[in-house]
């Protein structure tokens, strides 16, 4: 069943048999003090503030039985999948792999690299550990989505202009339609968030669409009636 969701730059034709929710990198390392985001010099509070909105949306998706994908940006403990160019970038207090207050920064299996408890995956939900910004790079995400007949993705998570935008662009190149929820994504830089949204919806949805979670949830509820 298809439902029209009010969105920019025009209504999104949501197909309730072929869409999935993707929650990008809602890990302690990006949204809590002491993690990767803060060590890069950022105030992480705005990214943590979207947790309730994403949790509300997650509840709505779980009620429909539609697939949910959670991603985590993280690396092998031996850093074999972390290019030196990534680890050595910038001048952070702690680098990827260094010991921090939530364990080794951005390393798989560490407390900091895991998803915040409020959004923790349920059994049966897809978890993608990814070494890059985009969730399709060096992961099995494309195959997992194709196996489930998914052709549309609802995008949430952090940060808007880095991992979310990268993944939306990768998805667009692979033929998926993407809808970004503006209240369920955040950046360390408000101007970059807004610019990313504008870049995505420009030129007739050159990368994808944008709306907010209330609008999507109301449209999905209307489809049930
Ligand atoms: N630094 C920043 O804005 N983001 C990242 O490094 N990764 C993600 O966006 N997940």
């Amino acid at each position: 069943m298809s439902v029209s969701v009010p969105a920019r730059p025009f209504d999104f034709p949501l197909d309730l048999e072929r869409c999935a929710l993707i929650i990008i990198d809602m890990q302690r390392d990006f949204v809590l003090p002491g993690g990767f985001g803060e060590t890069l010099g950022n105030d992480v509070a705005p990214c943590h503030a979207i947790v309730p909105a994403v949790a509300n949306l997650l509840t709505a998706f779980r009620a429909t039985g539609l697939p949910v994908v959670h991603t985590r940006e993280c690396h092998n403990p031996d850093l074999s999948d972390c290019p030196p160019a990534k680890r050595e970038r910038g001048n952070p207090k702690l680098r990827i792999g260094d010991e921090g207050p939530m364990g080794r920064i951005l390393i798989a299996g560490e407390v900091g690299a895991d998803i915040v408890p409020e959004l923790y995956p349920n059994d049966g939900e897809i978890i993608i550990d990814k070494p890059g910004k985009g969730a399709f790079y060096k992961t099995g995400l494309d195959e997992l989505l194709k196996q489930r007949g998914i052709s549309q993705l609802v995008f949430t998570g952090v940060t808007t202009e880095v991992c979310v935008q990268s993944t939306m662009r990768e998805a667009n190149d692979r033929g998926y339609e993407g809808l970004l929820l503006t209240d369920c994504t955040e950046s360390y830089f408000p101007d970059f968030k807004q610019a990313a949204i504008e870049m995505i919806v420009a030129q007739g949805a050159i990368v994808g669409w944008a709306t907010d979670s209330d609008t999507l949830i109301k449209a999905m509820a209307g489809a049930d009636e």
Side-chain angles (χ1 to χ4, degrees), residues 36 39-41 84-95:
F36 184 60
T39 201
L40 292 172
K86 180 176 182 182
R87 186 166 192 272
E88 288 157 19
R89 191 86 45 83
N91 192 25
K93 291 193 294 282
L94 296 171
R95 293 186 188 277

Side-chain angles (χ1 to χ4, degrees), residues 126-145:
I126 299 168
I127 303 176
I128 298 289
D129 283 345
K130 61 186 183 66
K133 311 285 193 287
F136 289 85
Y137 173 66
K138 290 194 173 171
T139 72
L141 179 58
D142 195 28
E143 292 70 25
L144 286 168
L145 294 174

Side-chain angles (χ1 to χ4, degrees), residues 24-27 30 36-37 40 42 47 71-73 86 106 130 132-133 157-165 186-189:
I24 307 276
D25 300 356
M26 289 301 290
Q27 302 159 252
F30 290 108
F36 184 60
L40 292 172
N42 301 304
C47 287
T71 72
R72 297 184 290 210
E73 182 178 351
K86 180 176 182 182
L106 234 53
K130 61 186 183 66
K133 311 285 193 287
V158 294
T159 61
T160 316
E161 80 282 10
V162 183
C163 291
V164 176
Q165 184 173 208
E186 197 46 87
S187 168
Y188 303 124
F189 305 91

